[in-house]
């Protein structure tokens, strides 16, 4: 049996929450998890839309993690 270990060089993750504090906490938790994979935040995009079903604003973010240089 052969073991092949490939290093993750890029990773994109998506997050959603109905308030900014929860969204920020989710992102920070994942940043800490990705440090173990030697990944740093490369770019973040965020969007805010109104969710008519919930009657609230929905905050979302796309975070691009990239291998540390």
């Amino acid at each position: 049996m052969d073991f092949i270990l490939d290093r993750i060089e890029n990773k994109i993750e998506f997050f959603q929450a109905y308030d900014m504090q929860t969204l920020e906490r989710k992102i920070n938790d994942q940043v800490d998890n990705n440090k173990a994979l030697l990944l740093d935040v490369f770019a973040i995009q965020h969007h805010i839309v109104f969710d008519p079903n919930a009657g609230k604003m929905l905050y979302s973010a796309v975070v691009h993690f990239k291998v540390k240089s």
Side-chain angles (χ1 to χ4, degrees), residues 1-6:
M1 179 194 255
D2 293 330
F3 288 102
I4 299 173
L5 299 175
D6 288 333

Side-chain angles (χ1 to χ4, degrees), residues 7-12 39-40 42 64-67:
R7 185 172 169 182
I8 297 174
E9 294 191 14
N10 284 295
K11 184 177 180 186
I12 296 175
L39 296 174
D40 278 336
F42 180 71
H64 180 185
F65 295 94
K66 205 168 187 180
V67 70

Side-chain angles (χ1 to χ4, degrees), residues 4-60:
I4 299 173
L5 299 175
D6 288 333
R7 185 172 169 182
I8 297 174
E9 294 191 14
N10 284 295
K11 184 177 180 186
I12 296 175
E13 296 190 38
F14 303 88
F15 303 91
Q16 285 184 323
Y18 284 109
D19 61 83
M20 286 295 286
Q21 292 80 16
T22 303
L23 182 66
E24 185 177 3
R25 189 183 73 248
K26 287 180 178 182
I27 293 170
N28 285 335
D29 290 346
Q30 202 55 36
V31 166
D32 291 340
N33 292 338
N34 284 330
K35 284 182 182 180
L37 299 173
L38 300 177
L39 296 174
D40 278 336
V41 173
F42 180 71
I44 297 178
Q45 293 182 351
H46 60 89
H47 305 278
I48 304 168
V49 297
F50 180 74
D51 182 357
N53 296 329
K56 303 179 195 179
M57 299 302 285
L58 178 64
Y59 302 88
S60 62

